[in-house]
Amino acid sequence: AQSVSQHNHHVILSEAASLELGCNYSYGGTVNLFWYVQYPGQHLQLLLKYFSGDPLVKGIKGFEAEFIKSKFSFNLRKPSVQWSDTAEYFCAVNCLSGNTGKLIFGQGTTLQVKP
Amino acid sequence: EAGVVQSPRYKIIEKKQPVAFWCNPISGHNTLYWYRQNLGQGPELLIRYENEEAVDDSQLPKDRFSAERLKGVDSTLKIQPAELGDSAVYLCASSLARNGYTFGSGTRLTVV
C-alpha cells in the first residue's frame, strides 16, 4: 500500500535558522506531491505542490521543496525561519493510478520556532 | 471565492449518541472528500465522492458511519452511535480534478 513517511516528528529551531523537513513516499508510479501547513487553530493550507516539470518548486512564505524521483523524496526547505512559521507541516501524495484520487498524508511534523 | 465551509466547528457529545457534520464544498468542485484527523496524526480518508457517487468508501466504518451527498453538492457525515475512539477532527475537502484540494476548517468532535 502507498504510504508517506515524515522523518521528523518535532523540530525546534531558533529564528533565522534554516529548515529542512524530510518526506518520503512509497509508490513506484506517477505522483502529485504536496506540502500543507496547519497553524494553531486553523485549517490545512497548501504551501506548495509538484505535478511535473522543474523538480524544485517554490511555494508561499519563502518555502520550497525538491522532488527527487530516484529517492522518492519531497523535502521541504526554508533558508531562514520566523517565529510565525510555528505550525504543523504535512507532506501528502496523490498516486496517479487507477481511480484513487485520494491524498495520502504523512503523520506530520510539528515545528516550533523560538523567538 | 468562498472556501470549503464546515459546520459545526466543535461538537461535544456523550458516547452512544448520534452526531452529524455538514460540508459545503467550493462551487463547481465535483470531488468531495471526508477525512478524519486523530491527534498527532495526518488526515486519513474516510470517503470520496465524485459528484453524488461515493467512489471510495473503503475506509469508512460502515457499521456506524454513513455519508451522503445529495445533488452532488453539500455533504453530510453521520456517526451513530458515537464511540469514545471517534474523537477527532473531521475534515472536508473538495477539488476540481485531482490538482487542487481545498480543506475546510474541520469539525472537532469530542466524545465523552
Side-chain angles (χ1 to χ4, degrees):
Chain A
Q2 299 94 354
S3 65
V4 178
S5 176
Q6 293 181 239
H7 314 300
N8 318 98
H9 289 265
H10 198 157
V11 174
I12 302 174
L13 295 173
S14 297
E15 275 194 315
S18 64
L19 169 72
E20 180 161 1
L21 301 182
C23 173
N24 285 87
Y25 64 93
S26 62
Y27 181 67
T30 304
V31 294
N32 288 343
L33 299 158
F34 305 81
W35 274 97
Y36 283 87
V37 61
Q38 191 169 30
Y39 298 103
Q42 297 190 25
H43 61 278
L44 284 165
Q45 299 174 38
L46 182 66
L47 269 181
L48 47 80
K49 60 187 178 183
Y50 171 80
F51 292 157
S52 63
D54 188 345
L56 184 62
V57 293
K58 296 190 182 300
I60 61 172
K61 305 185 181 185
F63 286 91
E64 65 178 31
E66 184 176 12
F67 171 49
I68 302 179
K69 188 174 181 179
S70 61
K71 294 185 178 180
F72 301 91
S73 70
F74 190 55
N75 292 354
L76 181 71
R77 299 195 292 250
K78 186 170 183 177
S80 175
V81 295
Q82 301 173 318
W83 176 78
S84 58
D85 293 325
T86 295
E88 191 149 17
Y89 292 81
F90 293 94
C91 180
V93 173
N94 182 2
C95 304
L96 301 178
S97 71
N99 192 29
T100 59
K102 69 180 182 184
L103 278 181
I104 302 170
F105 284 85
Q107 69 270 40
T109 297
T110 301
L111 173 63
Q112 182 182 351
V113 180
K114 296 181 178 179
Chain B
E1 164 183 89
V4 176
V5 180
Q6 290 187 246
S7 68
R9 285 295 307 273
Y10 305 93
K11 190 74 176 178
I12 302 174
I13 62 170
E14 294 184 343
K15 62 182 180 182
K16 301 185 182 179
Q17 294 301 305
V19 63
F21 316 124
W22 175 81
C23 173
N24 180 236
I26 291 176
S27 177
H29 280 195
N30 57 321
T31 307
L32 184 146
Y33 311 78
W34 282 102
Y35 282 83
R36 177 169 60 188
Q37 186 177 14
N38 292 311
L39 190 64
Q41 302 289 322
E44 295 179 328
L45 182 71
L46 290 173
I47 188 167
R48 176 171 68 98
Y49 282 93
E50 295 286 350
N51 299 305
E52 65 272 12
E53 182 183 0
V55 296
D56 183 357
D57 63 356
S58 57
Q59 302 285 76
L60 190 73
K62 298 181 185 60
D63 57 335
R64 297 183 299 108
F65 286 65
S66 64
E68 60 182 8
R69 190 182 185 196
L70 300 176
K71 301 181 181 179
V73 182
D74 294 4
S75 179
T76 304
L77 178 68
K78 298 179 181 177
I79 309 175
Q80 182 170 11
E83 297 179 351
L84 295 176
D86 296 331
S87 294
V89 176
Y90 292 83
L91 297 166
C92 180
S94 69
S95 70
L96 184 62
R98 300 178 187 177
N99 295 339
Y101 301 78
T102 303
F103 284 83
S105 300
T107 297
R108 182 176 297 276
L109 173 68
T110 302
V111 182
V112 297

